[in-house]
Structure formats: C-alpha cells, structure tokens
C-alpha cells in the first residue's frame, strides 16, 4: 500500500506532501508524489507543434518532480522509515490520471492540497480536486493551504450523522483510527437554520426543534459509542458541535496539532461515490485541519 500525492506543476505550496508525510508517520508506507502534465494530441497535421508542446510539458514535469523531491528533503526525520518518490506523467485529465496512478501503485488514499485562493489554514477545492472527489473510489485527503506539521496523526474526528451513510462511515473510520494508531472522536454538527421574518411565536418552536435534534443526536452518539466499544474501541470521545453558523459550530469543539477530520458522502449509491451534500461541503470549507473525504460504500 502507498500514499499517492497529487503534486501540481509550478506548485508553490507543499501542503499535500506535508499531510502525506503526517499520515505516513503514523502508518509507514511509501509516499509517491505524482505530477500530471498535459499530453500532446499526436495529430499528424500538427506533428512539429505537438513535439514542441510535448517537450515543454516534459520540462514542466521534470521541474515539478524536482520540487517535490526538495519538499521531501525538508523532512529528513522520517527518511529512514518512509520511502519517498517523485515522478511525472502525461495525461489529458488530472483526476483520471491520478486515479490510474493510484491503482497502478496500490495507493489506499490520494492526498491533495487546497486552491491557491484559499486563506492560509483553510481548505478549498480546486476544480480538478472537486472532480477527483466526486469520482474517486478511494479516500481523498485535502490539506489546508500552507499546512505544516511535524506530528503524526494523533486524533481522528469523524463527522457523524444518524443515517445509513453515517454508520457505514463510522466503521470505516474506526479502522482508519486503528491503522493510524490515533484516538477517535465522534462529532455531530448542529447548526440552526437561517431565521426568516415570521410571527413572534415561531422562534420558540424553532428552539424546540433544535432541542429535539440535540436529544436525538445525543442518543445516536451513545449508540455509536456502544457500537465502537463492541469493535474494540473503548476510548472514544463524543461531542455535539453547535452554533449559529458553520464556522462557529466547527470551531466550538476545539482542534489540536495532529488532528484530522473525516467526512463521508451524502449517498451510498455506487453512482454517487463521493457526493458532498450541503452539510459536508460546509464542514470541508470551514475545517481548520486536514479533511479526509471517504466515498460511499456503494450499493
């Protein structure tokens, strides 16, 4: 098994490699940085132009691989435990090529960085990463912009909801927690819906609804705790993350060095592999720590 890093040509942010090495500190496996560069079309009518394009593309690939090797070299502390490799390949679709490389190299996860427009410390998908997330059968780990760490994975927090997808995700994250040797925390996010101008007695009804949500969430979490204990995981934290909006709710549970957050798909249907529902997408955008998006189990 290995960690496959999607490393972009002319990348000015080594966050994806940082995250892959963090995962590898806890579960030592080879880390392979793959830079995907454009492939020429190979049409006879444009043979000369196409050759020049391929030469330029190859130069981009070699330079990107050199940058990745330099990023690996910034972490000599784990060089003896974790083999690293930086390569480049030509392809017409970055997401499809990364998935092909992941299959060829026996990767169990694909690690990527955030968009250049993301604020430091925040996660934001690029258009390519968004397509990768929605089509991959493997988990996708996304590093916040400018992410740096020297720790391993100390705690795995799973965003849990009481439905079929949530329970399926819980079991998969329990296994991830074991393999990474990390503590497990189960968090349910409760965010009040936007209030609309209505009669004065509705806010009281809204409060009652939120209280009911909280009661149901607490009961589901206790059930999840008991289920995890039956799987041999006794030291599990549970928490309700509530707030007037998503940033406040996510910040309310507290985050530490070595934390990662795991969210799942909104559907377990095979055709929806990893479809980020509105809640999961908001969690990803507001997470202050790396996020692992796990595809649905399929039906």
């Amino acid at each position: 098994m290995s960690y496959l890093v999607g490393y972009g040509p002319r990348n000015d942010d080594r966050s994806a490699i940082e995250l892959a090495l963090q995962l590898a500190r806890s579960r030592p496996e080879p880390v392979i940085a793959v830079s995907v560069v454009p492939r020429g079309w190979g049409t006879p009518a444009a043979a000369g132009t196409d050759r020049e394009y391929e030469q330029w593309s190859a130069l981009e690939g070699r330079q990107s691989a050199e940058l990745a090797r330099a990023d690996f070299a910034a972490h000599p502390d784990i060089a003896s435990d974790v083999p690293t490799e930086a390569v480049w390949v030509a392809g017409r679709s970055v997401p499809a090529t990364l998935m092909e490389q992941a299959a060829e190299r026996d990767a169990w996860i694909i690690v990527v960085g955030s968009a250049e427009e993301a604020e430091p410390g925040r996660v934001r998908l690029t258009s390519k990463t968004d397509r990768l997330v929605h089509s991959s059968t493997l988990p996708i780990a996304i590093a916040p912009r400018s992410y740096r760490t020297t720790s391993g994975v100390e705690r795995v927090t799973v965003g849990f909801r009481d439905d079929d997808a949530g329970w399926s995700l819980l079991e998969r994250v329990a296994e991830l927690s074991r393999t990474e040797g990390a503590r497990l925390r189960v968090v349910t996010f409760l965010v009040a819906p936007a209030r609309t101008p209505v009669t004065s007695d509705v806010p009281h009804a809204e409060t009652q609804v939120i209280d009911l949500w909280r009661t149901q969430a607490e009961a589901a979490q206790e059930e999840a705790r008991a289920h995890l204990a039956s799987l041999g995981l006794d030291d599990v934290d549970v928490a309700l993350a509530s707030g007037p909006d998503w940033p406040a709710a996510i910040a309310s549970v507290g985050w530490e060095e070595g934390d990662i957050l795991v969210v799942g798909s909104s559907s377990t249907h095979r055709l929806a592999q990893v479809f980020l529902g509105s809640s999961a997408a908001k969690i990803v955008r507001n997470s202050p720590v790396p996020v692992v998006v796990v595809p649905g189990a399929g039906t």
Side-chain angles (χ1 to χ4, degrees), residues 5-9 33-37 60-61 64-65 68 86-90 97-98:
V5 180
Y7 192 92
V34 177
S35 298
V36 181
V37 298
E60 288 282 289
S64 185
V87 300
W88 65 272
V89 295
T97 303
L98 287 177

Side-chain angles (χ1 to χ4, degrees), residues 253-270:
V253 293
W255 301 93
E256 303 171 355
E257 177 78 7
D259 278 348
I260 63 171
L261 172 63
V262 181
V263 297
S265 68
S266 62
S267 171
T268 56
H269 193 280
R270 178 178 57 83

Side-chain angles (χ1 to χ4, degrees), residues 24-49:
R25 285 188 184 95
S26 299
R27 176 183 173 178
E29 301 285 357
V31 179
I32 306 162
V34 177
S35 298
V36 181
V37 298
R39 174 185 293 166
W41 294 101
T43 56
T49 302

